[in-house]
Amino acid sequence: MLKTITVDENSFSLMLMQLLDSITNHSLFKHLAGTKDSLSDGNVRYELTGDGAGTLFLIDEKSGDIHATKRLDREEKAMYILHAKVLDRTTLAELEPDTEFNIKIHDINDNEPRFAKDVFFASVPEMSEVGTSVVTITATDADDQTYGNSAKLVYSILQGQPYFSVDSENGTIKTALPGMDREVKEQYQVVIQAKDMAGQMGGLSGTTTVSITLTDVNDNSFRVTATESTEVGGAIGRIKADDPDIGRNAEMEYTIVGGHDTFNIITDQTTQEGVVIIKKRLDYETKRDYEFRVEVQNTYLDARFIHGLQFKDYATVKVTVEDVDEPPVFGRNPYIIEVHEDTAAGSFVGVVSARDPDAGNKPVKYSIDRHTDLERLFNVDSVNGTITTLKALDREMSKWHNISVVATEISTTRVPVFIKVLDVNDNAPEFAMSYDTFVCERVKAGQLIQTISAVDTDEPLVGHKFVFSISSTNPNFTIDDKEDNTANILTRRGGFSRREMSVYFLPIVISDNDYPIQSSTSTLVIRVCACDSRGNMQSCSPEVLPFSDGLTTGALVAILLCVLIVVLFAALRRQRKKEPLIISKEDVRDNVVSYNDEGGGEEDTQAFDIGTLRNPEVMDANKLRRDIIPEMLFPFRRTSPIKDNTDVRDFINGRLHENDSDPTAPPYDSLATYAYEGSGSLAESLSSLESAATEGDQDYDYLSNWGPQFKKLAEMYIGKTQELDT
């Protein structure tokens, strides 16, 4: 009998119950032993022979369990052939013939992919087209190729993008970027990874490095870089051809072969360079690389050398567009949104949407320019651009709201949003104007006395349609609805009398035809007047003023204004008068004003102009006093200056006389300080710097001759001198 048993590699033991089941189900064994249960009575002995028996595989002679003495490795040996015997323990007789067992080692993923080298070297010509094959590298995996995905490899590139790519199935490296220039970069290091388990998570991997060199080709090309924000007509670069000639023989002209819809080239006559300019705006997100051929030729050709020579050359110009941050772009500009009035706060209004045109496509934040929404009626969601209301809208207050929504990424852009408030019939019609209506005393029944009309601040889609009505029980007047939004007021009877009733109040109900129907009651005031035979008014009773159960707003305002005026008047009457500078205790004329500010003496020249003290003639005659409020009741009279070296006593007496005779002087005495001492004064210096050591040396009798103004001063000093003498 031949049986095959499959077991995972790295297994340490396998139970022989599978083996035992196979044996006991054999017809020969059934014949000898009867049933499987009879083999478990302890009289059976198991023996194992074959590959690795007794060394790699051991069998328990009682239970039949086979154990491996070490880990099984499929990569060392994938199959083992064993022979099992079942013997009678007592007689050692075979209970059934030998059975051959093939133990096949099941593969597990325990080997990582390996490359033949750690570093590979390859080269590719510069300026190769995208997809040009560079080199193919493969890895090997020692796991079973026929079982599962343990040896199924997937290749990927870990380093070297965006210049190169690799085929995931066969490991072929290809160019991925156009226009790779050896003069810009010559060497590239590309890291390739091979991963088993078809690249799934948990697979094992190996890596290798491929050093790729760009080989030189005679490309005769120029590379120009331009930002996508360059304005149309702007220059992005210059190219120049070499010509060893001089003068007009070296003059050249540049042209683009076949023309170009995005670029143009012009010749700088001064430098003989070709200037590349933009004809159409560049967009990095749309196209990043351009390539065109430029022809240059001499503008002057010498007829002697035309034959056999070519006075022109060609070069390739490659333009690379660089990305710049662009502001967000709104899907529409402007937005016009409609919303019904009386919409509750927080209701949906509309959505604005902007995108980042850059390749990164960064998220955009939205906000409302509050200078365009001073009343803060709207709000916009900063993430999704949803506009909602913050307050209820009233079309009668404003039919349109024009706001600006700002989209911000790194830079910002704004879009106007025009929000139209749709009408809802939420206002009742009313009189179009204030009517002055009268009825003649001798009027007849059915006489037209007034034609009325109405207005409505709402705007229905089909236009206004008003209905006028009055109470059918009114005995004095009736109404005739003309169905053109006007109505006639007619008399129901004749014989009105001012003595009986001078004024009639006629309530008129005005309704619209929109949904929901709105109506209001307006009162028409009709005066009874005396008229001539033609119906012209001659005289009426005094006009009755409108009244109400309470005070009107105008009356309340008038009362408040009156109260306010009375309060202000009383406050002004109670205002305290300003206290005078000098407070009199006895006789104000006999008091000397005391100033608490102490001067610094004669050496203090910061508080006054020393030049003025030296020459009193330059003193400002119009300088007003600061201790009183000046009142120019009389013209100011300039006093004559005192001559130099005038005696101080005469100087003071002169000033005293002038003040006594000056009608503009204040009605009280004040202390005037004169800093000018003069020279040769009998009283000597007024300064205390050179005063005598004792006050007894001073004689103050002359103060009694200065008049009543100095009486108090004389009494103080003369009396003090007498006390000292005593």
Side-chain angles (χ1 to χ4, degrees):
M1 177 182 294
L2 175 64
K3 298 295 291 184
T4 299
I5 300 176
T6 302
V7 52
D8 289 340
E9 61 177 324
N10 291 341
S11 296
F12 276 104
S13 65
L14 65 101
M15 301 299 292
L16 196 62
M17 292 306 296
Q18 296 178 355
L19 177 64
L20 189 59
D21 288 341
S22 300
I23 296 175
T24 55
N25 288 332
H26 193 268
S27 59
L28 177 61
F29 180 78
K30 290 181 179 179
H31 176 75
L32 296 175
T35 62
K36 174 183 175 182
D37 293 337
S38 65
L39 297 177
S40 58
D41 57 1
N43 295 323
V44 177
R45 177 181 176 182
Y46 301 97
E47 289 185 358
L48 186 66
T49 61
D51 295 338
T55 56
L56 180 61
F57 299 102
L58 299 178
I59 188 170
D60 190 317
E61 62 179 15
K62 294 182 179 180
S63 64
D65 295 340
I66 297 177
H67 300 272
T69 60
K70 66 177 182 178
R71 289 185 180 275
L72 303 179
D73 189 355
R74 190 200 66 83
E75 285 71 37
E76 293 181 1
K77 189 169 184 173
M79 181 179 294
Y80 296 87
I81 300 175
L82 299 174
H83 296 271
K85 294 181 179 181
V86 181
L87 305 176
D88 187 288
R89 180 178 295 278
T90 304
T91 64
L92 299 180
E94 293 186 359
L95 298 180
E96 78 172 46
D98 291 352
T99 302
E100 180 178 317
F101 292 92
N102 295 333
I103 300 179
K104 185 178 182 179
I105 308 302
H106 185 279
D107 184 40
I108 63 173
N109 187 28
D110 58 347
N111 293 278
E112 70 274 2
R114 293 180 180 275
F115 289 95
K117 299 178 182 179
D118 292 333
V119 179
F120 291 84
F121 295 92
S123 63
V124 64
E126 65 174 335
M127 302 299 173
S128 297
E129 298 292 333
V130 174
T132 301
S133 177
V134 179
V135 67
T136 299
I137 57 173
T138 57
T140 58
D141 194 320
D143 292 322
D144 190 356
Q145 301 282 342
T146 63
Y147 180 79
N149 294 324
S150 298
K152 187 174 182 180
L153 305 182
V154 173
Y155 298 92
S156 61
I157 185 168
L158 300 181
Q159 177 182 322
Q161 294 175 320
Y163 306 102
F164 298 94
S165 63
V166 64
D167 190 299
S168 61
E169 295 182 358
N170 56 31
T172 300
I173 301 175
K174 301 178 181 180
T175 59
L177 193 66
M180 288 191 292
D181 193 349
R182 189 191 67 84
E183 286 74 21
V184 176
K185 186 176 182 180
E186 182 178 4
Q187 292 285 340
Y188 295 87
Q189 299 297 320
V190 179
V191 177
I192 301 298
Q193 173 185 267
K195 188 174 184 180
D196 59 18
M197 296 299 292
Q200 299 178 2
M201 184 179 296
L204 304 178
S205 63
T207 60
T208 187
T209 301
V210 182
S211 178
I212 301 176
T213 303
L214 296 184
T215 58
D216 188 29
V217 296
N218 186 18
D219 52 359
N220 193 23
S221 64
F222 295 88
R223 179 168 295 277
V224 178
T225 302
T227 60
E228 62 177 335
S229 60
T230 305
E231 297 293 335
V232 174
I236 62 173
R238 291 171 173 258
I239 63 176
K240 186 175 183 179
D242 294 328
D243 190 340
D245 295 326
I246 61 174
R248 66 174 183 172
N249 294 323
E251 293 180 358
M252 295 175 285
E253 183 179 8
Y254 299 85
T255 57
I256 296 179
V257 178
H260 203 280
D261 59 349
T262 306
F263 301 97
N264 190 18
I265 189 169
I266 60 176
T267 304
D268 187 334
Q269 298 298 336
T270 303
T271 63
Q272 294 300 309
E273 294 176 321
V275 182
V276 182
I277 62 175
I278 295 178
K279 294 170 54 179
K280 187 173 66 176
R281 287 193 67 89
L282 304 176
D283 187 2
Y284 174 84
E285 288 70 33
T286 303
K287 190 173 183 179
R288 304 179 184 181
D289 296 284
Y290 297 86
E291 183 176 327
F292 52 88
R293 284 175 61 81
V294 174
E295 178 187 273
V296 57
Q297 62 179 354
N298 290 117
T299 57
Y300 172 76
L301 300 178
D302 194 327
R304 296 174 297 173
F305 306 105
I306 293 178
H307 302 287
L309 295 177
Q310 190 176 19
F311 294 89
K312 61 182 178 182
D313 195 7
Y314 298 90
T316 302
V317 177
K318 299 178 180 181
V319 180
T320 301
V321 181
E322 292 184 344
D323 188 26
V324 297
D325 184 73
E326 299 177 87
V329 177
F330 281 95
R332 285 187 290 163
N333 189 357
Y335 285 85
I336 300 179
I337 303 175
E338 295 181 346
V339 60
H340 286 87
E341 65 173 328
D342 295 337
T343 302
S347 300
F348 173 82
V349 175
V351 177
V352 296
S353 177
R355 64 176 181 85
D356 180 12
D358 295 321
N361 194 21
K362 298 179 181 178
V364 177
K365 298 294 184 180
Y366 302 92
S367 62
I368 292 179
D369 184 354
R370 288 305 175 188
H371 292 91
T372 62
D373 185 25
L374 297 177
E375 298 180 1
R376 293 186 174 270
L377 298 176
F378 303 96
N379 185 44
V380 63
D381 189 285
S382 62
V383 177
N384 57 33
T386 301
I387 300 176
T388 55
T389 57
L390 292 176
K391 300 178 183 178
L393 306 179
D394 189 356
R395 191 198 65 85
E396 286 70 40
M397 295 294 294
S398 180
K399 299 179 182 179
W400 287 88
H401 297 278
N402 304 332
I403 64 175
S404 293
V405 176
V406 180
T408 304
E409 179 249 322
I410 295 178
S411 54
T412 62
T413 186
R414 61 182 59 221
V415 66
V417 180
F418 303 130
I419 301 175
K420 182 180 181 181
V421 183
L422 301 179
D423 184 42
V424 173
N425 192 35
D426 57 349
N427 292 279
E430 57 186 12
F431 279 155
M433 57 181 295
S434 178
Y435 295 102
D436 184 13
T437 307
F438 68 92
V439 61
C440 297
E441 288 183 309
R442 300 180 182 181
V443 72
K444 298 179 180 180
Q447 181 68 42
L448 173 65
I449 61 173
Q450 184 68 59
T451 299
I452 61 174
S453 62
V455 293
D456 192 340
T457 54
D458 295 322
E459 290 184 358
L461 296 177
V462 296
H464 290 294
K465 179 62 179 177
F466 301 128
V467 178
F468 301 87
S469 62
I470 63 174
S471 175
S472 59
T473 60
N474 191 299
N476 302 311
F477 304 97
T478 185
I479 189 169
D480 179 19
D481 193 338
K482 306 300 291 184
E483 298 184 354
D484 60 354
N485 293 335
T486 64
N488 293 334
I489 306 300
L490 308 174
T491 57
R492 186 184 289 273
R493 64 178 179 86
F496 289 90
S497 174
R498 286 181 291 173
R499 295 181 180 178
E500 296 178 358
M501 182 72 71
S502 60
V503 177
Y504 291 89
F505 298 95
L506 179 62
I508 300 176
V509 179
I510 310 175
S511 304
D512 58 25
N513 66 334
D514 205 353
Y515 179 83
I517 295 176
Q518 300 287 341
S519 63
S520 66
T521 300
S522 300
T523 301
L524 183 66
V525 180
I526 304 174
R527 295 182 296 160
V528 180
C529 302
C531 305
D532 57 15
S533 58
R534 297 181 179 180
N536 297 323
M537 179 181 64
Q538 292 182 335
S539 64
C540 298
S541 58
E543 183 178 358
V544 178
L545 296 175
F547 62 94
S548 61
D549 295 338
L551 293 175
T552 64
T553 303
L556 291 175
V557 172
I559 293 174
L560 290 176
L561 287 176
C562 292
V563 172
L564 181 61
I565 292 173
V566 171
V567 171
L568 290 175
F569 183 77
L572 291 174
R573 291 289 301 271
R574 295 190 187 97
Q575 186 179 10
R576 291 167 47 181
K577 295 182 180 180
K578 185 177 180 181
E579 295 183 359
L581 184 61
I582 302 176
I583 302 177
S584 174
K585 294 183 179 180
E586 299 176 357
D587 188 358
V588 71
R589 293 172 299 176
D590 296 334
N591 280 298
V592 177
V593 179
S594 175
Y595 298 94
N596 293 328
D597 295 335
E598 181 178 354
E602 292 181 346
E603 296 182 357
D604 183 8
T605 60
Q606 301 298 324
F608 53 84
D609 185 3
I610 191 64
T612 304
L613 299 179
R614 299 292 185 187
N615 187 9
E617 292 183 352
V618 301
M619 295 177 61
D620 186 4
N622 294 326
K623 190 173 182 180
L624 301 178
R625 295 176 55 175
R626 292 179 292 178
D627 57 340
I628 62 171
I629 300 176
E631 295 179 359
M632 299 300 294
L633 300 178
F634 299 98
F636 185 84
R637 180 169 57 86
R638 181 179 178 87
T639 59
S640 59
I642 303 299
K643 300 297 181 180
D644 293 339
N645 302 324
T646 304
D647 185 86
V648 174
R649 182 178 298 175
D650 295 337
F651 172 78
I652 296 177
N653 286 332
R655 288 291 185 266
L656 177 61
H657 182 268
E658 289 175 0
N659 282 278
D660 289 339
S661 60
D662 188 0
T664 63
Y668 54 85
D669 292 335
S670 62
L671 177 62
T673 301
Y674 300 93
Y676 176 71
E677 299 183 15
S679 60
S681 173
L682 296 178
E684 297 180 348
S685 174
L686 296 179
S687 172
S688 61
L689 297 178
E690 299 177 358
S691 300
T694 61
E695 294 184 356
D697 298 335
Q698 302 293 333
D699 184 7
Y700 300 103
D701 292 339
Y702 63 87
L703 294 177
S704 60
N705 299 325
W706 283 11
Q709 290 83 354
F710 296 93
K711 179 180 180 182
K712 199 71 174 178
L713 183 62
E715 292 178 353
M716 292 172 57
Y717 281 88
I718 295 176
K720 186 176 181 180
T721 302
Q722 293 176 353
E723 292 177 358
L724 292 175
D725 294 340
T726 304

